[in-house]
Amino acid sequence: MIVSSVLLFFAISLPTLADPLKKGFRIVAPPRPTYTGILQIPEPSHPFVAPGHKDLRGPCPGLNTLANHGYIPRNGVASFEQIVEAATHGFNMDYDLASGLTAFGMLARGNSYTDQLSIGLDTPLIPPLPGEIDGSTTRGLAAHGRFEGDVSMTRQDWAIGDNINFQPDLFAELLDIVAQVGNDSDVTGPKSIVNVEALSRFKLKRFMESQTQNVELQYHVGRLTLSYGETGFTLNFFANGTDGTLSVPAMTSIFRDQKFAPNWFRRSSPGTIDLIGNSSGQVFEMNPVRPGANALNGTYIIDQHIGNCAFYNNLAADNVPGVLLNTTGVLKENVDFLLNAIHTLFPNCPAAVPHGAANV
């Protein structure tokens, strides 16, 4: 691990980074955490430092927060291993969940040959894949489609606004709803605890806004599930582990300020895909929305024939470029490793075969 970390340091530091012939790095699964209990975050060795003008940040407040505290490189370019270790340590995310999500991000928007992923947009620090098989740049998690999508909690849809940076007006909508239906707290005051009902009302409101304002709305099963998954992440990973509740100040610290709140502790046990699924399912079921997309005339067309493995297939098949299957050497080994990491989260589904379009 020490050797791979040293190699990674040089891999993201040398001025030849934009060289498309740059040597590949074999992705290695980091060790599983040995301690998975409650822990105060951040530690003194990880102070908050606001990002510089060259540092990359994107639509995920959790990754932005980890970068601002140096749990992943502060420039916003990280390896698979670094993101998995940061997510499991900083938020106590389950190892397999962290691995599967990071693997999807790496395959969809990273360079799985050099083991690099931008949490923002494209950067000269990350070269394109060999032969530019997926385009002339590696576009990063903030690029619209594949990973990033419509009906975000605090980012606008790409077709109608800023889909990368925190939008205060959208967050204000959430705070208004919490002020109406949130739970009371002896510490943070009345209506200051975020609950399922508040997030459910907010997600329905966001969908209705997008459906009426964005004629290009895409809300198929993969995006819908990830969109509601945001609520499960928010409730379970942003809450203070001391009592398991999510206060408005703690949520605001991560969403708006992109830093951990004072006296904040990570959750007391690893947050698994089942936990997130159950939480986001509760949010969804209070005000359900069908997957689909807008037609050119603004009519919402509901998807039909949604199978049990639709979410998994939409991620690993539809949104991973098929050209990655036609690779050799280290790149093929890494692609196979990352696809397996995603499949681990869906053991009852047949392994998906990527067929997504390239250079999109």
Side-chain angles (χ1 to χ4, degrees):
M1 191 64 199
I2 294 176
V3 173
S4 65
S5 297
V6 172
L7 289 174
L8 179 67
F9 173 78
F10 282 103
I12 64 174
S13 302
L14 293 175
T16 57
L17 284 173
D19 182 1
L21 301 178
K22 181 186 169 188
K23 180 180 178 181
F25 289 91
R26 184 172 287 104
I27 297 175
V28 178
R32 289 179 179 269
T34 56
Y35 175 71
T36 57
I38 195 167
L39 182 69
Q40 186 168 9
I41 299 291
E43 293 116 320
S45 59
H46 288 276
F48 171 79
V49 177
H53 72 282
K54 291 185 178 180
D55 293 332
L56 297 159
R57 297 294 183 267
C60 177
L63 287 175
N64 292 342
T65 298
L66 291 172
N68 288 343
H69 284 277
Y71 285 103
I72 60 175
R74 294 181 184 273
N75 66 358
V77 175
S79 70
F80 171 86
E81 296 89 339
Q82 288 173 325
I83 296 176
V84 171
E85 289 181 331
T88 55
H89 185 82
F91 290 110
N92 208 3
M93 185 181 294
D94 172 70
Y95 180 90
D96 289 337
L97 178 58
S99 298
L101 288 174
T102 306
F104 173 54
M106 183 70 73
L107 288 168
R109 288 303 185 199
N111 187 320
S112 48
Y113 180 63
T114 61
D115 189 15
Q116 292 173 288
L117 177 63
S118 164
I119 67 173
L121 288 171
D122 59 293
T123 168
L125 295 174
I126 306 179
L129 287 166
E132 298 188 2
I133 59 174
D134 192 30
S136 59
T137 62
T138 300
R139 299 178 65 186
L141 290 182
H144 182 62
R146 294 186 182 172
F147 193 93
E148 184 278 334
D150 295 331
V151 198
S152 168
M153 289 176 64
T154 59
R155 271 65 176 173
Q156 191 54 268
D157 290 0
W158 173 79
I160 59 175
D162 186 346
N163 67 317
I164 299 175
N165 299 296
F166 174 78
Q167 301 298 297
D169 57 330
L170 297 181
F171 191 63
E173 293 180 14
L174 173 56
L175 295 183
D176 286 344
I177 295 175
V178 175
Q180 298 171 32
V181 300
N183 295 337
D184 298 337
S185 167
D186 293 336
V187 178
T188 52
K191 307 294 185 184
S192 64
I193 299 299
V194 185
N195 57 23
V196 168
E197 183 178 359
L199 288 175
S200 183
R201 290 190 182 191
F202 177 61
K203 286 301 293 187
L204 178 62
K205 189 173 191 294
R206 288 289 300 117
F207 168 75
M208 294 174 65
E209 290 169 345
S210 291
Q211 198 280 314
T212 56
Q213 298 172 16
N214 180 10
V215 296
E216 299 180 25
L217 172 67
Q218 298 289 314
Y219 211 43
H220 301 295
V221 62
R223 177 55 201 163
L224 181 148
T225 306
L226 285 176
S227 174
Y228 275 88
E230 290 177 328
T231 65
F233 274 66
T234 300
L235 283 170
N236 291 284
F237 290 126
F238 297 171
N240 198 318
T242 55
D243 59 8
T245 63
L246 175 63
S247 68
V248 167
M251 181 175 69
T252 301
S253 185
I254 291 181
F255 271 104
R256 185 191 67 192
D257 305 331
Q258 301 182 134
K259 64 180 179 181
F260 292 108
N263 302 312
W264 188 87
F265 289 74
R266 73 182 195 185
R267 55 179 294 109
S268 59
S269 62
T272 65
I273 188 172
D274 289 338
L275 175 72
I276 302 305
N278 289 336
S279 292
S280 58
Q282 292 174 19
V283 173
F284 174 82
E285 288 166 4
M286 289 189 71
N287 294 285
V289 172
R290 298 286 296 278
N294 272 353
L296 291 178
N297 65 359
T299 301
Y300 189 69
I301 307 299
I302 296 174
D303 291 341
Q304 305 297 324
H305 309 299
I306 305 299
N308 292 333
C309 293
F311 173 47
Y312 165 60
N313 286 317
N314 188 252
L315 294 184
D318 300 342
N319 284 295
V320 172
V323 293
L324 292 176
L325 296 181
N326 302 319
T327 54
T328 60
V330 171
L331 178 53
K332 177 173 174 49
E333 291 179 24
N334 287 349
V335 169
D336 291 344
F337 171 86
L338 295 170
L339 287 173
N340 184 66
I342 303 174
H343 189 229
T344 296
L345 295 176
F346 305 92
N348 296 322
C349 296
V353 178
H355 58 245
N359 194 25
V360 297

